[in-house]
Amino acid sequence: MISKNDLQYYSSLLKKKHRKAENKFIVEGNKSVLEGINSKNECEIVFVTHKFSKENHQTIAEIVKKKKKIEILKQNEFLKIADTETPQGIAAVFIKPDFKPQTNLLLNESIVVLLDNISDPGNLGTILRNCDWFGIKNILLSETIVDYTNPKVIRSSMGSVFHLNLYENVNENQLNKLKEQKFEILCADTTGENIFNYKSDKKKIVILSSESHGPSKEIEEISDKKISIPKLGNAESLNVASASAVLLAQLTK
């Protein structure tokens, strides 16, 4: 039985400042929790409701097989650690991995993605899912981006955060070091070269940013080339998450 203090501690992880202080984050939902416990990430504890434990024997068996600690909560207790209005009844706490952006770890990659100036957690989560789909494992996150352990980012990624190497607080100096290693820096922008006409055999770093704000000036100035998706209709702009799917599909084909 969980204590009131422990429940309060874990519920505090719904807030960014506590996640940062503790280097932990909460994951909700059956699929995402299973993705997490089957990854290399360290799981501290799994929470389930009585109802979930009775109706999902296979999930419980898999968690037990992985030797993860399980705590069964009452519905009103579970709601204190849940970020969704109608939770599935399963959540887990994971230790945040400490990825260091070392240039030598990226040298053999053909495509690396850098995300900058993205504040919408849904967009970030979807982009991470898209990167995972197209086999891009190394993602650079600038200092001006929403916290990837935000519960909405985790949900939108559908477990993809557990498949990727996410390097935080990457700045222009680190980007310049990669440029010195013969990476071509491509910046997605509406004024850029038509992506369907672009051809290059060079290693690439693709910069994706908010459609409304664009990349930070410092990062934009480092880029070698701007690329864009041609507009055929009347929409004012293309959502960055949608744009990422088109760009990555073309660049990885």
Side-chain angles (χ1 to χ4, degrees):
M1 186 175 187
I2 193 169
S3 70
K4 184 177 180 181
N5 286 340
D6 284 344
L7 187 61
Q8 185 176 5
Y9 169 75
Y10 287 118
S11 65
S12 74
L13 297 177
L14 292 172
K15 295 182 179 180
K16 180 180 177 180
K17 67 177 182 178
H18 294 296
R19 292 196 301 272
K20 185 175 181 180
E22 299 298 323
N23 280 318
K24 299 175 184 178
F25 61 101
I26 294 179
V27 174
E28 269 190 75
N30 193 26
K31 182 183 186 307
S32 294
V33 169
L34 288 177
E35 290 282 355
I37 66 171
N38 285 302
S39 73
K40 294 180 180 179
N41 288 62
E42 182 182 349
C43 177
E44 180 170 309
I45 189 169
V46 178
F47 296 107
V48 295
T49 61
H50 289 279
K51 184 174 185 292
F52 184 93
S53 66
K54 291 178 180 178
E55 297 177 353
N56 296 272
H57 299 291
Q58 187 174 346
T59 295
I60 300 300
E62 189 163 353
I63 296 169
V64 171
K65 182 180 178 181
K66 293 289 183 178
K67 298 181 179 179
K68 306 303 180 184
K69 181 180 179 181
I70 302 178
E71 188 75 46
I72 298 178
L73 302 181
K74 298 175 182 177
Q75 182 67 15
N76 65 326
E77 291 175 326
F78 189 88
L79 290 174
K80 292 181 179 180
I81 64 165
D83 184 65
T84 54
E85 292 184 7
T86 54
Q88 294 179 21
I90 181 170
V93 175
F94 289 87
I95 309 300
K96 184 178 179 182
D98 185 20
F99 292 115
K100 301 293 185 184
Q102 300 176 40
T103 303
N104 62 306
L105 297 178
L106 304 175
L107 293 183
N108 294 324
E109 300 297 322
S110 57
I111 298 179
V112 175
V113 168
L114 184 145
L115 303 178
D116 182 45
N117 267 357
I118 297 175
S119 58
D120 184 274
N123 278 342
L124 178 57
T126 302
I127 294 170
L128 295 180
R129 189 179 178 187
N130 289 342
C131 289
D132 191 16
W133 177 265
F134 288 106
I136 298 169
K137 298 297 182 184
N138 294 285
I139 314 298
L140 310 179
L141 306 174
S142 78
E143 297 168 335
T144 57
I145 199 161
V146 63
D147 173 24
Y148 82 82
T149 64
N150 180 305
K152 293 179 181 177
V153 175
I154 302 293
R155 285 201 303 278
S156 298
S157 82
M158 294 296 290
S160 286
V161 291
F162 294 114
H163 307 156
L164 306 170
N165 300 323
L166 299 167
Y167 302 95
E168 293 185 286
N169 300 316
V170 174
N171 56 40
E172 60 270 20
N173 293 328
Q174 293 161 316
L175 199 56
N176 268 322
K177 289 181 180 179
L178 289 169
K179 192 171 182 178
E180 291 170 2
Q181 298 299 322
K182 309 303 180 183
F183 276 95
E184 183 177 29
I185 314 295
L186 302 177
C187 183
D189 187 274
T190 55
T191 63
E193 176 185 339
N194 186 330
I195 185 61
F196 300 113
N197 296 331
Y198 168 80
K199 292 182 180 180
S200 174
D201 294 327
K202 295 180 181 179
K203 298 183 294 184
K204 305 169 184 65
I205 295 178
V206 183
I207 301 172
L208 299 170
S209 56
S210 163
E211 65 270 21
S212 56
H213 298 102
S216 59
K217 183 179 179 182
E218 294 80 6
I219 288 181
E220 183 179 14
E221 289 177 347
I222 295 172
S223 64
D224 298 301
K225 186 186 291 290
K226 292 182 178 180
I227 52 174
S228 69
I229 300 168
K231 175 181 174 179
L232 302 178
N234 297 315
E236 181 180 349
S237 64
L238 191 61
N239 174 280
V240 63
S242 300
S244 73
V246 177
L247 293 170
L248 296 179
Q250 181 67 12
L251 290 171
T252 57
K253 73 175 187 178

